[in-house]
Amino acid sequence: MEQVKSFVHYTKEKAVESWQAFLDDLYRDQKKTIFTLIGGILFALIFAGLILFSQNRINASLVDRIAFDKLPSEKVQPLPYLTADKTIRETRAISVMYSKPSGAQLDQVFDLIQAQEDEMNRTFFYYPIVYDAAFFSNEYDIDPDKVTFVFYEEGVEKNRFTFDSFDQPTTEFIPELNRLPMWTIRTSAND
């Protein structure tokens, strides 16, 4: 037992001496100090960047696994988490469904799409709201607890509806989904 204590004491003394010598060298040699500080800062920045990059990749992977495995039809395409904003901005015309990746409304939407797929005249994209629900609520005026369909033309919202707005979703939902891109007809009819 005494040998272990003396070894720990010896190791501790050597570590303190080495640290003291390192600090003395840094104090005496200012170039070495500056390079050491710059190196430490660069290392910290690179490490922080890697953490942020890997966190975004992990989040995207989780969204893919949670939400996109159960899409009911080929007419419902996944809108990748990392590229959604860019896709919406750069696509001439795109319809997007926003919702949480689970819930009674989403299940009902998927059941209706699966049952009435032949009546659908186009595909649309699904963006599951897993992260940043408050951001979607504030920035896009989308309630994450509702299933919301939005049509964008060149990145600008032109038309939207929510699934809970239907009295008879079995008969009203698919026709309304088919009419979603016809925003000019709807606005001229309202004038």
Side-chain angles (χ1 to χ4, degrees), residues 79-131:
L79 188 57
Y81 178 71
L82 293 176
T83 60
D85 289 335
K86 181 180 179 190
T87 302
I88 290 170
R89 276 192 319 270
E90 294 179 356
T91 304
R92 192 175 130 317
I94 185 171
S95 297
V96 181
M97 176 180 78
Y98 298 95
S99 81
K100 288 185 176 178
S102 62
Q105 276 191 3
L106 182 66
D107 292 342
Q108 192 176 3
V109 166
F110 282 175
D111 289 345
L112 286 172
I113 289 170
Q114 198 166 27
Q116 300 174 11
E117 181 178 6
D118 294 339
E119 296 174 34
M120 293 177 60
N121 62 9
R122 65 183 34 89
T123 61
F124 64 93
F125 290 87
Y126 173 46
Y127 186 90
I129 302 173
V130 178
Y131 307 103

Side-chain angles (χ1 to χ4, degrees), residues 6-184:
S6 67
F7 176 74
V8 169
H9 181 68
Y10 174 77
T11 307
K12 188 176 178 182
E13 283 181 5
K14 284 297 183 185
V16 168
E17 285 176 18
S18 296
W19 182 248
Q20 292 262 333
F22 175 73
L23 290 177
D24 288 342
D25 285 347
L26 283 179
Y27 183 71
R28 282 188 212 119
D29 189 1
Q30 290 181 359
K31 281 185 181 179
K32 188 175 182 181
T33 303
I34 290 172
F35 285 128
T36 303
L37 286 174
I38 290 172
I41 291 170
L42 286 175
F43 176 76
L45 290 173
I46 290 170
F47 186 69
L50 286 174
I51 287 174
L52 291 174
F53 177 76
S54 63
Q55 184 178 5
N56 283 340
R57 291 287 177 192
I58 290 169
N59 289 348
S61 173
L62 288 174
V63 167
D64 289 351
R65 214 171 311 134
I66 290 171
F68 297 149
D69 284 347
K70 61 177 184 175
L71 295 179
S73 163
E74 292 289 322
K75 293 189 177 185
V76 182
Q77 295 294 312
L79 188 57
Y81 178 71
L82 293 176
T83 60
D85 289 335
K86 181 180 179 190
T87 302
I88 290 170
R89 276 192 319 270
E90 294 179 356
T91 304
R92 192 175 130 317
I94 185 171
S95 297
V96 181
M97 176 180 78
Y98 298 95
S99 81
K100 288 185 176 178
S102 62
Q105 276 191 3
L106 182 66
D107 292 342
Q108 192 176 3
V109 166
F110 282 175
D111 289 345
L112 286 172
I113 289 170
Q114 198 166 27
Q116 300 174 11
E117 181 178 6
D118 294 339
E119 296 174 34
M120 293 177 60
N121 62 9
R122 65 183 34 89
T123 61
F124 64 93
F125 290 87
Y126 173 46
Y127 186 90
I129 302 173
V130 178
Y131 307 103
D132 300 330
F135 171 77
F136 276 94
S137 181
N138 295 334
E139 187 73 18
Y140 297 109
D141 194 28
I142 292 176
D143 184 350
D145 295 322
K146 295 182 178 183
V147 180
T148 305
F149 294 83
V150 181
F151 173 71
Y152 297 95
E153 185 176 72
E154 296 178 358
V156 177
E157 179 182 328
K158 297 295 182 176
N159 197 7
R160 79 164 50 202
F161 69 85
T162 58
F163 182 73
D164 67 350
S165 65
F166 301 115
D167 294 328
Q168 299 292 322
T170 308
T171 57
E172 296 173 339
F173 169 62
I174 296 297
E176 188 65 24
L177 185 60
N178 287 336
R179 284 190 297 269
L180 182 64
M182 299 179 194
W183 64 273
T184 54

